[in-house]
Structure formats: C-alpha cells, structure tokens
Amino acid sequence: MKFRRQKIDDVQINLTPLIDVVFLLLIFFMVSTTFNQSTELTIDLPTATSNAPSSDVSQNVEPRYHG
C-alpha cells in the first residue's frame, strides 16, 4: 500500500477552447442581430426675425427688483 502523498501537478487553464467559444458566440450574435435603419426626426424649430423693433421686446419684459 502506498500511503505517501502524490505530487499534484499545477493546475493550468487552457485558453484555446475559451477563445473558440467566445469566437463562436461573437459570430452567432453578429449573424442573428438585425439592424434597422432609423428615420430622422422632423423637428419644427422656432424662427426669429431680426426686423422686430426693440421697443416691443422691452414692453413685454418686466423688470425684477431684488431688494
């Protein structure tokens, strides 16, 4: 009978199968993903005129007094 402890080899992780699995997952997601072409949003932006008299603007603004 052998009662001596056997020497355990160092555990090594082989990365080759892991790289293969990651590569297969990447291919699967690339093939199964669908890309939709999104349409642009139509936005109505406000327009400004530079010909408006400044007196109309000053009448609409109320002064605020901090005191």
Side-chain angles (χ1 to χ4, degrees):
M1 288 199 287
K2 293 184 181 180
F3 290 112
R4 288 184 288 165
R5 295 180 100 187
Q6 295 178 353
K7 184 179 179 182
I8 299 174
D9 293 334
D10 291 338
V11 177
Q12 295 179 356
I13 298 175
N14 192 358
L15 291 178
T16 305
L18 181 65
I19 292 172
D20 290 342
V21 169
V22 170
F23 184 67
L24 288 174
L25 286 173
L26 180 66
I27 290 175
F28 172 75
F29 285 121
M30 287 175 62
V31 170
S32 65
T33 304
T34 58
F35 295 100
N36 294 330
Q37 202 173 32
S38 61
T39 59
E40 296 180 8
L41 297 175
T42 55
I43 300 174
D44 296 329
L45 296 175
T47 58
T49 57
S50 62
N51 297 336
S54 61
S55 61
D56 293 340
V57 175
S58 64
Q59 290 175 356
N60 293 333
V61 177
E62 296 178 10
R64 293 186 182 182
Y65 297 107
H66 299 286

